[in-house]
Each structure stands twice: as C-alpha cells, then as structure tokens.
Amino acid sequence: MQRNVLIKNEKEIQIMRGLGKILSSMFIELGKMIKPGTDVWNLEKKFIEMCDESGVIPSCKNYSEGGLPPFPSGLCISINNQSVHCFPKKGVILKEGDIINIDTVISFNGLHVDSAHCYSVGKIGEKNEKLLETTEKAMYNAISKIKNNAKIGALSSAMQKTVEKDGFNVLKDYAGHGIGYSMHEYPEIPCYGNKNEGPKLREGMTICVEALVCEGNDTVFNTSDWETEMADGGNFCIFEHTVLVTRNGYDILTN
Ligand code: MF3
Ligand code: CO
C-alpha cells in the first residue's frame, strides 16, 4: 500500500521540484528529436536513457491500475487522432503536419511528477496550430486560478470556457489529478465544470492540471486495454503540468 500524503512537507516539495526540473529538461531534449522521419520508438529509447542518467524512475513503465495490464512503456505517445495512454511503437514514423503528444511521469524516493506537451511535426495546418495554442492556454488559464482555498471547479470552468470559446471540446472521460507518493491521487481535476463547485485546494497540495482537448466530439474508444482514439477521427491535444498550491497562488514544478 502506498502512502497518500495530501499536504507535502518541505522535503517532499524539494524532491518534487528537483524532479520537475529534470522532467522539463527531458521534454526539451525529446522536442529536439521531433521532426519528419523520426521513429517514435527512438523517443522512448532516449527517454529511458535520460532516466538512467539522471537516476530517476520512468513511472509509467509497468504501471498498473484498475486491473489493467502493466503499461508497457515509459512514455505515452499519441499522434493526431490517437488519445490518452497510447504506446510508442517501433516503426511508427512522424511525418510533416502531424501533431504528437508526449505524456509521462518520473519518480524518485517514491514521489512522482507528471507532465505532457504537444509538439508539431514540421509545418502543421492552421487548425492544428490553433488546437495546440488553445490547449496550452486552457492549461495556463486553469493554473492561474490555483491558490489556497480555491475550488477545483474554478480551474475546471476556466479550462472548459477557454477551450469551447475557441470552438474545441474537452474530454469528459479523463481528468487531472493530485500527485505525490502515487501518480494518481485525490483530488480529481475535471476539464469541465462549474466554478463554484468541487473540493477546495489547500496550500501544500501538489496537483496535475491536464488540459485534454479535442477538435471535434469528445467521445473516445479503446483500441487496446490502455490505448484510446477519438471516435470521430478528430485530433487530440494535451498539455499538463504538476503544480504546487501555495498560500497566495501556485508554483509550477515541471517548468
Ligand atoms: N498524465 C497521464 C495520466 O495522468 C500519465 C499516465 S501514465 C500511465 O493519466 F502509465 F498511466 F499511462
Ligand atoms: Co496526469
């Protein structure tokens, strides 16, 4: 049984902050590899190498919850209309105009941080550019609501409004989450909701704000035990940061 510590102490925060810096530099390295012709399996290989070099654990690899089989890779990678929790596969080659989401978690001393970025492969179309911009903006608008005593609904509502104003939709079947000694902890942070609803944030909580956004209808279907795809074939985009709740605001740990 893993510990579930809602409010982190200074020592725990220090570890998560260090992990966040490592994870953000990993995303920069992976980003440099993203171009037409890249085999996505090389991103997975590079990620595992970087984890070994930094002495951190790729938390997704072999992760299991809800009776699902162990997750087979360190990275979740989804291209275009693929949605959450897809595996990188050898021989899948990026091509000009694709969008690619990389979502991953690393840990040290039992503590986790989780982040996701969407990247463009070469030149992407205007609609995809807008999708990436809106999703990142939705994540930051939600993050901007974070402070001691704020309600989760304030984050959810800001995210949903930003997304729908730009003509896109949020996923309803997946959500952000608390993080710490487990990668998924209380509270759940939906991408939709009413600003006056939901549990309150407290100083010292660490949460993952995930903007899960799609071009069209938000229905997803499973293509394997873990993997999902947008039912209408529209594209999917994710940006996620691990954030510390502070008395007057927040501190983004995976920046
Ligand atoms: N950000 C993703 C999530 O919270 C990370 C999933 S890792 C996996 O669901 F191992 F569960 F895939
Ligand atoms: Co997450």
Side-chain angles (χ1 to χ4, degrees):
M1 196 60 188
Q2 270 167 315
R3 277 192 294 163
N4 190 334
V5 178
L6 213 51
I7 305 299
K8 276 74 181 179
N9 63 33
E10 266 315 311
K11 201 166 170 232
E12 290 161 338
I13 291 168
Q14 200 188 325
I15 290 171
M16 291 180 74
R17 198 185 297 286
L19 273 173
K21 290 214 160 62
I22 292 171
L23 186 53
S24 102
S25 67
M26 288 175 170
F27 272 109
I28 292 169
E29 285 311 304
L30 294 174
K32 290 180 192 161
M33 296 172 66
I34 292 174
K35 45 181 172 269
T38 297
D39 187 322
V40 297
W41 188 249
N42 291 336
L43 298 167
E44 170 72 12
K45 279 205 302 201
K46 174 74 179 174
F47 173 68
I48 298 294
E49 251 172 55
M50 290 191 291
C51 285
D52 290 345
E53 281 163 16
S54 335
V56 301
I57 294 169
S59 313
C60 297
K61 200 169 165 76
N62 295 319
Y63 175 73
S64 176
E65 77 175 22
L68 291 173
F71 198 83
S73 52
L75 297 176
C76 303
I77 286 191
S78 51
I79 300 166
N80 299 333
N81 60 322
Q82 290 185 310
S83 192
V84 298
H85 302 158
C86 290
F87 316 147
K89 293 185 184 93
K90 204 180 167 110
V92 171
I93 310 295
L94 297 177
K95 55 182 198 313
E96 180 99 18
D98 284 342
I99 62 168
I100 171 177
N101 297 296
I102 301 183
D103 185 359
T104 191
V105 186
I106 58 171
S107 69
F108 181 76
N109 264 14
L111 287 159
H112 301 264
V113 299
D114 180 356
S115 182
H117 291 250
C118 188
Y119 302 86
S120 48
V121 182
K123 208 174 150 40
I124 57 174
E126 219 172 283
K127 184 143 192 215
N128 275 333
E129 294 226 8
K130 184 84 193 159
L131 178 64
L132 267 65
E133 248 173 56
T134 298
T135 306
E136 191 170 21
K137 184 172 68 181
M139 176 190 66
Y140 282 115
N141 285 349
I143 290 174
S144 74
K145 303 290 179 192
I146 298 175
K147 61 177 181 200
N148 187 42
N149 276 328
K151 286 196 174 155
I152 302 282
L155 283 61
S156 303
S157 158
M159 198 183 284
Q160 182 177 22
K161 282 194 177 136
T162 307
V163 168
E164 292 180 358
K165 188 162 160 272
D166 285 356
F168 298 118
N169 285 301
V170 293
L171 264 56
K172 317 286 191 309
D173 294 344
Y174 295 88
H177 48 91
I179 191 164
Y181 287 102
S182 303
M183 77 161 84
H184 293 145
E185 292 185 358
Y186 172 91
E188 183 170 277
I189 305 169
C191 299
Y192 65 98
N194 188 309
K195 71 175 170 35
N196 300 313
E197 286 172 3
K200 277 183 180 173
L201 295 174
R202 295 288 177 207
E203 181 179 359
M205 284 170 78
T206 43
I207 58 172
C208 293
V209 179
E210 301 194 28
L212 302 157
V213 177
C214 57
E215 256 185 329
N217 188 285
D218 67 273
T219 307
V220 300
F221 67 89
N222 275 84
T223 53
S224 74
D225 285 319
W226 278 100
E227 298 170 289
T228 64
E229 202 171 293
M230 299 315 303
D232 67 358
N235 281 352
F236 166 71
C237 182
I238 174 170
F239 280 90
E240 174 178 15
H241 273 312
T242 297
V243 186
L244 169 70
V245 181
T246 64
R247 181 173 336 201
N248 298 311
Y250 58 88
D251 191 350
I252 301 176
L253 301 179
T254 44
N255 244 352

